[in-house]
Amino acid sequence: QVQLVESGGGLVQPGGSLTLSCGASGFTLDYYAIGWFRQAPGKEREGVSCISRSGSVTTLIGSMKGRFTISRDNAKNTLYLRMNSLKFEDTGVYYCAAKPQALFSVCPRTPNEYTYWGQGTQVTVSS
């Protein structure tokens, strides 16, 4: 059974940090581009960052550059998102997603390009 499971969300104060994890089962992440997306209340799902099979990172929202870091550990079949200097507007449900990809392709930027999705983990930035 193919599954992505996010964890690590929670309540954090502005300026704080969180690390989200996304564990894959039923398939091997080595052959997939993987990404993080988020959906704020009342808004559409948007891309945060993605990482290709070769490890090339694309930041999908400019305001996150320098604050959020995506990484993958293929040996653990896990994707991570380290979030620093969190702001109120970072609040939302964070999803990981995966898409099978050729080795040297750039990771997809939009949600509808991805094949598998996790159930999401809530991140709330509040004082």
Side-chain angles (χ1 to χ4, degrees):
Q1 180 182 0
V2 171
Q3 201 171 13
L4 290 169
V5 179
E6 300 97 336
S7 61
L11 175 65
V12 62
Q13 292 186 339
S17 299
L18 282 175
T19 298
L20 306 182
S21 300
C22 172
S25 59
F27 69 107
T28 303
L29 281 179
D30 294 39
Y31 302 102
Y32 289 75
I34 38 183
W36 285 99
F37 294 80
R38 75 176 181 193
Q39 189 161 17
K43 295 188 177 181
E44 292 186 354
R45 193 170 299 186
E46 60 181 353
V48 173
S49 186
C50 64
I51 186 166
S52 70
R53 281 187 62 189
S54 62
S56 177
V57 172
T58 301
T59 300
L60 302 176
I61 300 179
S63 64
M64 296 178 181
K65 199 165 188 178
R67 297 193 299 124
F68 290 13
T69 303
I70 190 173
S71 62
R72 62 191 297 164
D73 186 335
N74 288 342
K76 295 183 178 179
N77 226 26
T78 301
L79 173 69
Y80 301 97
L81 184 69
R82 174 66 178 177
M83 304 186 294
N84 295 324
S85 303
L86 283 161
K87 305 176 180 181
F88 292 118
E89 54 265 38
D90 294 321
T91 293
V93 179
Y94 284 70
Y95 300 88
C96 62
K99 173 185 170 58
Q101 188 188 44
L103 181 57
F104 296 109
S105 297
V106 177
C107 57
R109 302 173 69 90
T110 61
N112 60 5
E113 297 180 82
Y114 284 80
T115 307
Y116 301 124
W117 287 86
Q119 83 290 347
T121 185
Q122 176 70 45
V123 172
T124 302
V125 184
S126 175
S127 55

